[in-house]
Amino acid sequence: MNVEARPNPLKTQSVELGIADCDVHPNPASLEDEVFPFIEQKWRDYIATYGMVQRIGFAGGTQYPKGQPRASRRDSYPPEGGPPASSLSFFREQHLDAHNVDMAVMIPLRIGQALQNMDLAVAVCAAINEWQTEFWTSKEPRIKGSIVMAYENADACVQQIEKHAHKDDFVQISMLSRTPDPMGHRKYWPIYEAAAANGLPVGVHAFGYGGNPPTGGGYPSYYIEDMMAHAQSCQALITSMVYEGVFDRIPDLKLVIVEGGIAWLPSLMWRLDKIWEKNRLELSHVKRPPSEIIRQHVWLTSQPIEEPDNRQQLVEAIEWMGWDRVLYASDYPHWDFDDPKRALPVQLTKEQRDGFFRGNAYKAYGLS
Amino acid sequence: MDTLLDPETRGANRIIPGAVDCDVHPASPAMKELMPYLDDYLSQSVVDRGIEQLTSVHYPPNAPITCREDWRGPGDAASALKRMQTHLLDGMGVGTAILNQMLGIQILFNADMGAAFARGLNDFMAREWLDKDDRLRASMVLPQQSPELCVDEIERLAGDKRFVQVMMLVMGDRPLGHQMYWPIYRAAEKHGLPIAIHAGSMYRHPLTGVGWSSYHSQDYAANAVNFQTTVTSLIAEGVFTKFPNLKVVMSESGWTWLPAYLWRMDKYWHGLRMLTPWVDRLPREIIADNFRFTLQPVDAPPDRAVLEKLMEHVGTEDLLLFSTDYPHWQFDGTECVPDGFSDSQLRKMMIDTPKATYSRL
Amino acid sequence: MAERQKHVVAKVSDFEGTDRKLVEVKGRPIVIFKKGDEWFGMLDRCPHQGGSLCSGSLISWVESSGPGDYRMSRKDEIVRCPWHGWEFDIRTGVACARPTKYRARPVGVSVVKSEETETVGNLELYDVSREGDLVVVEL
Ligand code: FES
């Protein structure tokens, strides 16, 4: 396939203030050149010898092959070469400038926060944090980083949080949704305590290889099932955090769910309220109705946004959860990218628009 | 129970004469009640090996949702049937009740033993329940461990028209669309039996994609997400391309999640259609043709306006089948239908849709 | 409605080594696909969220008679949007998944010999020299 011509970025409608994009995915042009310098030689040798093993059978790639290469927009490869979103200049041109983004939260993926070799995971995550500041946030103030951590090792996470949380470069702590144990499990609580103490939300991005089948009925067959199931995993993780009392225990904790969709939240809140009312004996540590806890502590990023034929229905669903809960995200450069001009093609009030595209994010991340 | 029998209160429950209640739970038999229905080898094994009660942890007998406080009583079949008559059939005026027996025989790993228990349990249901009140119908309990043995059980019972559907647990060995289950669907379609997919698990995997929960409440909440992934599986695997006349009744699944689920599913299908090309129409169209959902639990706020909007999002009045989920605690008093359903919707879900769904009614 | 005009937008030889080209006509981005001797054009904006179809892949039409069966036909006649992967028939613009609901806008494309260009017009506008065979877009 020979793609000769590259389209000019479409001009954006003028927006007075730039938008906040709560999920973008810069990549290293090469691990060797950009990330390995921050890793001890012994771990470089280890990776060269054994690879980076996760709870999945393949040495690279996934057991559910994606719909397009690297799950990326086919037009996102930088002209100078390298993987999508590995060139800052092209990232600016195709995304930040083209869409008037003045705050973009980068969430590094494919780095193995849950590598089986925990010492390796700690070393790689530490390096990725250095890489974010060195190659991205220090060069482009519109880009903010996420502190990535080997989240099966809470002590190491707390160290990373203490090391980076005070820097302007980072706006959140990053975890992946498919953890080995549900996120309300108390082994993760020290992470949440450190995040809350430092005023940073925990951003939970869909994906990860926790070693559990993506459904309670085992492994599905097709890629579309794996993708769909992220919405369900996110519902399960919110259920876990609420019912296991995380927010009662850590009242300053903020949770941002990234890339799981949004429209399922009202139904989940209603269900959790009903079950909670009937099981007060078991859930005596949960002091308030789950919907109230969620409305105070949980935000969802919008992408991949649900698209009913009648978009007004999505607006109604957002009303049920509250407009202040939703943060715009593009997921650039991935294939299910949502263009800010087209993501929500309905009439919004100025307040809704400002909140969705900017204000809610600044609040969630504690920025001004 | 006097308030339940009071005609004035009974009027408030909005059940119309002849209503079919599509998800009702008979008491699970104690092992000694079941013994007379087990084959010789299994009954010897029960005694000789000390096999205990096969109660699933999914519905702990004393947990609040498993049985409403004012519907509790002795567990033997005769007493339980009497209570059901008092509360549900005579009390609330349900015309026909479809019984889903939840004894956890599917959890056993030994498939032969599972099948022997299933035969005993189905025979028990026929003698101790169906024979005793002709307003009762039942779902066949299947040894979900082995699709081949499920087919045997379907063939064995197909002649008894009081078994109006077959039942599978929403969480099995594999997502239920998987080809390993197709022999069951072939047999069910042949005999005009819908597949009731009911809340519950064979406990082969953690109940969520993110691991084992700490609390019963989490596990119960996990049902809804597993119904969602099960819809995805049944559609993506092409079950309805293969068995176009098959009906699936999602039972105790909740349904207020359905519109948002379909907005996402339709969207993904649009971009990934070529990866499962046998799915040759919008998922929501498949749902409309092949899926039905039982009413309770209604995961929605007690707000008429919200419910009306939700029904608009669902987009059709044909998807719901009336259910009380008796004696599970889903509502109080006799308020089994929340505010916000139109009269035409009531008629559809209580009479027309059940008739159209269950060829044996 | 403005009347349709013909615009010379490229030389046939521009398509050596490529099967597509993005041009601008009347301020609008148009993608031209060449398949053997056949030419197809579309507005280069996906009707979904506006992705540039020019960066999409050209694939076959995949049908099925049942689970596990994949039947391919019409090689390279389906453009798959580089963003969310929707498929469009390059002959008609129709969206494969929901043909009655979505359609990419097709644009007429033809080839003329340079001698014939006098009758075509707008030649200078597109900075194409009059040599060999020329590609014409009708818009
Ligand atoms: S923009 Fe083309 S598929 Fe979404």
Side-chain angles (χ1 to χ4, degrees):
Chain A
M1 189 66 41
N2 181 340
V3 180
E4 186 201 47
R6 183 174 297 285
N8 296 319
L10 300 171
K11 296 278 178 293
T12 14
Q13 300 155 1
S14 67
V15 179
E16 290 156 40
L17 288 168
I19 64 176
D21 178 349
C22 300
D23 183 28
V24 298
H25 299 292
N27 284 304
S30 100
L31 272 182
E32 287 73 12
D33 296 345
E34 296 189 4
V35 180
F36 282 10
F38 301 110
I39 298 181
E40 269 181 88
Q41 185 62 41
K42 76 163 180 179
W43 289 123
R44 290 186 237 168
D45 294 343
Y46 184 97
I47 293 169
T49 311
Y50 301 105
M52 294 165 68
V53 176
Q54 308 187 68
R55 293 185 177 182
I56 168 187
F58 286 127
T62 152
Q63 68 280 64
Y64 297 106
K66 310 277 184 190
Q68 31 266 80
R70 299 185 66 106
S72 290
R73 281 172 48 171
R74 288 173 204 271
D75 59 351
S76 64
Y77 290 80
E80 65 263 46
S86 63
S87 144
L88 177 57
S89 61
F90 190 57
F91 189 93
R92 285 179 178 133
E93 177 192 326
Q94 193 175 43
H95 189 55
L96 298 180
D97 299 341
H99 296 121
N100 195 19
V101 175
D102 73 0
M103 204 272 283
V105 181
M106 73 182 280
I107 301 180
L109 295 177
R110 304 168 149 251
I111 49 160
Q113 286 149 294
L115 293 177
Q116 284 293 80
N117 181 328
M118 191 168 295
D119 295 319
L120 176 64
V122 170
V124 171
C125 287
I128 290 286
N129 290 330
E130 302 296 339
W131 166 78
Q132 291 184 73
T133 48
E134 178 90 7
F135 284 83
W136 295 88
T137 58
S138 65
K139 293 186 174 154
E140 172 51 83
R142 288 176 289 183
I143 298 178
K144 298 293 177 193
S146 301
I147 302 173
V148 300
M149 318 160 306
Y151 46 71
E152 292 305 302
N153 177 342
D155 292 344
C157 295
V158 173
Q159 278 177 22
Q160 281 297 301
I161 295 171
E162 299 298 345
K163 181 169 181 198
H164 296 293
H166 63 279
K167 300 176 186 164
D168 286 342
D169 303 78
F170 294 100
V171 294
Q172 70 179 355
I173 312 299
S174 175
M175 294 176 75
L176 299 179
S177 62
R178 285 183 180 155
T179 41
D181 288 294
M183 237 169 233
H185 196 286
R186 61 195 66 197
K187 73 180 180 185
Y188 301 118
W189 290 4
I191 302 174
Y192 307 146
E193 277 158 359
N198 285 284
L200 295 184
V202 173
V204 179
H205 191 285
F207 294 91
Y209 296 107
N212 303 302
T215 86
Y219 282 94
S221 303
Y222 297 102
Y223 175 57
I224 190 172
E225 296 179 79
D226 185 41
M227 289 302 284
M228 282 297 292
H230 285 300
Q232 286 81 42
S233 292
C234 289
Q235 292 173 59
L237 86 85
I238 292 175
T239 303
S240 163
M241 301 232 2
V242 172
Y243 279 177
E244 301 200 42
V246 177
F247 299 108
D248 293 84
R249 163 104 178 191
I250 311 168
D252 294 329
L253 181 62
K254 299 190 274 190
L255 179 69
V256 181
I257 303 286
V258 183
E259 207 176 328
I262 57 174
W264 41 262
L265 188 64
S267 176
L268 178 71
M269 293 197 292
W270 299 329
R271 178 159 61 252
L272 296 190
D273 279 0
K274 287 201 137 181
I275 296 172
W276 171 77
E277 278 163 18
K278 298 186 172 83
N279 289 282
R280 301 299 288 277
L281 171 68
E282 183 177 53
L283 301 177
S284 59
H285 52 277
V286 181
K287 305 290 183 209
R288 294 178 294 155
S291 60
E292 211 176 299
I293 294 173
I294 290 169
R295 280 206 186 87
Q296 184 185 340
H297 292 276
V298 181
W299 286 264
L300 305 179
T301 65
S302 59
Q303 177 281 339
I305 201 156
E306 287 88 349
E307 297 183 16
D309 279 356
N310 174 357
R311 292 303 167 88
Q312 204 52 40
Q313 296 180 341
L314 179 61
V315 170
E316 286 158 5
I318 296 175
E319 265 152 27
W320 289 329
M321 65 181 97
W323 276 96
D324 59 336
R325 295 295 99 196
V326 192
L327 316 174
Y328 166 75
S330 72
D331 196 27
Y332 180 89
H334 289 158
W335 72 283
D336 37 0
F337 169 85
D338 275 332
D339 186 320
K341 296 183 301 299
R342 306 285 292 271
L344 206 51
V346 288
Q347 277 291 19
L348 301 179
T349 66
K350 179 169 168 10
E351 201 189 337
Q352 288 168 341
R353 175 167 297 277
D354 289 353
F356 179 81
F357 282 110
R358 184 181 173 90
N360 297 345
Y362 279 72
K363 236 179 243 150
Y365 298 112
L367 304 171
S368 44
Chain B
M1 294 313 107
D2 286 347
T3 52
L4 286 171
L5 294 171
D6 173 18
E8 299 214 336
T9 332
R10 192 181 141 178
N13 76 29
R14 303 186 75 197
I15 291 183
I16 54 185
V20 181
D21 185 341
C22 300
D23 184 27
V24 173
H25 299 292
S28 291
M31 195 63 90
K32 67 173 189 313
E33 278 183 283
L34 199 52
M35 280 294 265
Y37 297 97
L38 303 181
D39 66 41
D40 292 346
Y41 177 71
L42 183 55
S43 53
Q44 170 177 298
S45 300
V46 166
V47 176
D48 199 43
R49 298 173 66 183
I51 298 174
E52 294 181 32
Q53 182 69 15
L54 306 180
T55 303
S56 169
V57 294
H58 209 70
Y59 291 104
N62 295 321
I65 288 174
T66 307
C67 188
R68 211 170 95 178
E69 208 46 49
D70 56 337
W71 289 337
R72 289 183 181 274
D76 63 285
S79 314
L81 171 59
K82 192 152 190 307
R83 278 199 306 283
M84 187 184 288
Q85 288 164 335
T86 308
H87 303 313
L88 188 75
L89 302 168
D90 304 329
M92 289 167 70
V94 161
T96 302
I98 300 177
L99 305 179
N100 285 318
Q101 171 56 259
M102 300 310 295
L103 187 67
I105 62 111
Q106 303 89 344
I107 297 170
L108 291 163
F109 278 96
N110 177 338
D112 300 329
M113 185 186 283
F117 268 116
R119 287 192 296 271
L121 189 56
N122 286 321
D123 291 346
F124 165 85
M125 287 304 298
R127 299 290 86 77
E128 305 296 336
W129 288 83
L130 302 181
D131 284 355
K132 304 269 156 89
D133 189 321
D134 59 15
R135 291 170 291 185
L136 301 178
R137 299 291 182 276
S139 306
M140 295 178 198
V141 174
L142 296 185
Q144 203 168 326
Q145 295 90 336
S146 158
E148 288 71 23
L149 295 174
C150 290
V151 172
D152 292 348
E153 186 62 357
I154 292 172
E155 294 298 342
R156 187 180 77 90
L157 292 174
D160 185 342
K161 303 288 183 201
R162 298 172 305 174
F163 287 100
V164 296
Q165 64 182 354
V166 307
M167 187 188 75
M168 298 172 75
L169 299 180
V170 69
M171 291 171 254
D173 283 296
R174 293 291 300 263
L176 297 187
H178 195 272
Q179 298 207 11
M180 68 181 274
Y181 296 114
W182 290 4
I184 303 175
Y185 305 149
R186 185 172 294 114
E189 191 189 44
K190 179 177 99 185
H191 291 294
L193 292 161
I195 307 285
I197 296 177
H198 197 281
S201 176
M202 290 169 72
Y203 288 85
R204 297 301 191 255
H205 313 283
L207 270 56
T208 76
V210 297
W212 292 101
S213 321
S214 302
Y215 301 120
H216 160 78
S217 305
Q218 279 168 275
D219 283 348
Y220 189 70
N223 281 309
V225 292
N226 281 290
F227 277 101
Q228 294 166 42
T229 52
T230 298
V231 175
T232 315
S233 169
L234 289 165
I235 291 176
E237 299 266 6
V239 168
F240 306 102
T241 313
K242 198 82 188 161
F243 308 107
N245 300 316
L246 189 69
K247 294 262 190 294
V248 171
V249 176
M250 305 301 250
S251 306
E252 205 176 330
S253 54
W255 51 270
T256 61
W257 49 262
L258 183 65
Y261 167 87
L262 280 175
W263 301 339
R264 180 177 168 93
M265 181 64 175
D266 285 351
K267 174 175 173 170
Y268 271 129
W269 171 76
H270 208 142
L272 300 173
R273 182 209 66 82
M274 71 300 297
L275 306 187
T276 52
W278 44 88
V279 186
D280 54 5
R281 59 207 170 119
L282 272 176
R284 85 165 90 111
E285 293 170 16
I286 298 172
I287 296 270
D289 285 348
N290 297 92
F291 285 79
R292 297 294 176 260
F293 296 79
T294 62
L295 175 67
Q296 292 287 356
V298 182
D299 295 322
D303 176 338
R304 193 187 175 96
V306 172
L307 206 76
E308 283 170 356
K309 273 275 171 257
L310 266 172
M311 288 315 301
E312 244 176 77
H313 293 189
V314 170
T316 161
E317 292 193 337
D318 297 336
L319 283 189
L320 292 182
L321 291 165
F322 170 65
S323 76
T324 58
D325 198 19
Y326 175 91
H328 293 180
W329 182 19
Q330 305 294 6
F331 56 89
D332 292 307
T334 57
E335 310 264 309
C336 55
V337 181
D339 247 11
F341 282 102
S342 67
D343 286 345
S344 82
Q345 166 92 69
L346 280 191
R347 210 196 136 72
K348 278 194 165 163
M349 72 180 180
M350 289 180 181
I351 310 279
D352 303 342
T353 311
K355 289 247 156 75
T357 305
Y358 298 104
S359 61
R360 296 177 163 217
L361 277 190
Chain C
M1 255 208 63
E3 214 177 292
R4 279 206 190 160
Q5 291 171 307
K6 291 187 171 178
H7 313 269
V8 175
V9 294
K11 290 187 287 190
V12 168
S13 59
D14 294 343
F15 284 78
E16 268 160 36
T18 184
D19 56 5
R20 65 191 66 187
K21 191 170 162 65
L22 184 65
V23 299
E24 199 173 284
V25 179
K26 289 181 167 174
R28 269 174 282 184
I30 304 292
V31 56
I32 297 169
F33 293 111
K34 174 182 189 295
K35 187 196 177 198
D37 291 334
E38 291 188 287
W39 296 83
F40 307 98
M42 291 166 128
L43 185 65
D44 191 46
R45 286 205 189 116
C46 175
H48 177 223
Q49 283 196 17
S52 161
L53 297 173
C54 182
S55 301
S57 50
L58 285 175
I59 60 173
S60 298
W61 173 232
V62 185
E63 289 171 289
S64 169
S65 59
D69 175 54
Y70 304 84
R71 274 201 327 264
M72 289 169 69
S73 61
R74 305 192 48 205
K75 187 167 161 35
D76 296 344
E77 291 187 12
I78 308 296
V79 60
R80 192 161 174 236
C81 178
W83 290 6
H84 314 97
W86 290 20
E87 303 158 288
F88 301 94
D89 183 336
I90 60 171
R91 289 181 187 273
T92 60
V94 156
C96 300
R98 297 182 69 186
T100 53
K101 172 97 179 159
Y102 295 102
R103 187 174 193 197
R105 180 152 165 222
V107 172
V109 179
S110 53
V111 170
V112 295
K113 303 226 170 301
S114 56
E115 307 84 78
E116 300 163 8
T117 54
E118 296 303 339
T119 57
V120 172
N122 288 332
L123 192 56
E124 289 69 28
L125 200 56
Y126 296 99
D127 198 21
V128 176
S129 60
R130 291 178 203 222
E131 295 164 49
D133 293 346
L134 301 170
V135 182
V136 174
V137 160
E138 206 172 318
L139 194 68

